[in-house]
Amino acid sequence: MNRVHILNHPLLQHKLALLRDRNTGVKEFREGVGEIAALMFYEATRSLPTETRTVETPLAPAQVQVLSGKKLAVVPILRAGLGMVEPILSLVPSAKVGHIGLARDPETHAPTTYYCKLPPDIAQRQVFVVDPMLATGGSAVDAIDYLKQAGCQSITAMHILAAPEGVRRLQEAHPDVDIYIAAVDEGLNEHAYILPGLGDAGDRIFGTL
């Protein structure tokens, strides 16, 4: 079963083009990340279970479909993942939020964990791990390792942009995780940044260039 979903939607690709442009300002970049996150979450939740209820319209009773109570959680990988959280919560305000802080070593490019705080009932929730960039895949693999150690069994990864190396690594480490991506680029440069990419997503979201 192919668990990698590349969302080649014209609207997503248009918004991604704006993110790639070096002349896009902080405000526009931050908004673009949020808009893409919401569109991706829409696709990633297509299979959420629903149940039938009856409501009264102004004219007559109607049979409607509502979410069947599946508990959700969003876990951003700090810090860039924070830019994807609020738009998702606007769609599912009842979702809980965990945080995993991973910093990349500038020499080895390997992630090191400096923070992890998860909801106490995280194991009973369907979890969406969010991070704009999937470069080497190290951070995503480590974050999902933590979630599985906490008992999570239903995990989806959402990344705006990915390198083939990161996709392969994440698939190999966690073949049971669905991966949603807006685009897969050419590969990584010598500093493990995605090419052509969009630069450092965290710096561009928070204006710390």
Side-chain angles (χ1 to χ4, degrees), residues 116-196:
C116 184
K117 181 71 173 179
L118 302 174
D121 63 347
I122 192 75
Q124 284 74 54
R125 293 178 176 268
Q126 182 168 345
V127 181
F128 294 84
V129 179
V130 298
D131 191 4
M133 312 296 279
L134 180 63
T136 66
S139 294
V141 168
D142 281 7
I144 293 171
D145 283 342
Y146 275 107
L147 291 169
K148 287 185 174 180
Q149 291 166 13
C152 299
Q153 299 181 15
S154 180
I155 302 171
T156 297
M158 286 176 45
H159 304 278
I160 293 175
L161 200 57
E165 298 93 328
V167 176
R168 285 194 298 269
R169 184 172 178 181
L170 183 51
Q171 279 187 294
E172 290 169 359
H174 297 291
D176 57 332
V177 170
D178 283 301
I179 308 169
Y180 285 81
I181 305 166
V184 178
D185 271 9
E186 299 168 9
L188 301 174
N189 66 11
E190 66 274 16
H191 302 295
Y193 281 97
I194 300 173
L195 286 177

Side-chain angles (χ1 to χ4, degrees), residues 53-91:
R53 290 186 185 174
T54 301
V55 300
E56 292 287 339
T57 79
L59 299 177
Q63 298 293 306
V64 298
Q65 296 297 311
V66 298
L67 293 177
S68 63
K70 180 70 175 179
K71 295 180 179 180
L72 306 181
V74 184
V75 179
I77 297 176
L78 304 179
R79 65 182 167 136
L82 291 172
M84 300 175 70
V85 174
E86 286 302 324
I88 292 174
L89 292 180
S90 71
L91 297 175

Side-chain angles (χ1 to χ4, degrees), residues 106-117:
E107 299 297 329
T108 66
H109 310 305
T112 56
T113 306
Y114 63 87
Y115 185 78
C116 184
K117 181 71 173 179

Side-chain angles (χ1 to χ4, degrees), residues 25-47:
V26 172
K27 177 179 181 294
E28 292 77 15
F29 188 91
R30 187 183 300 129
E31 290 173 348
V33 167
E35 290 167 353
I36 291 175
L39 291 168
M40 293 182 70
F41 188 72
Y42 175 84
E43 289 295 331
T45 54
R46 186 175 290 276
S47 61

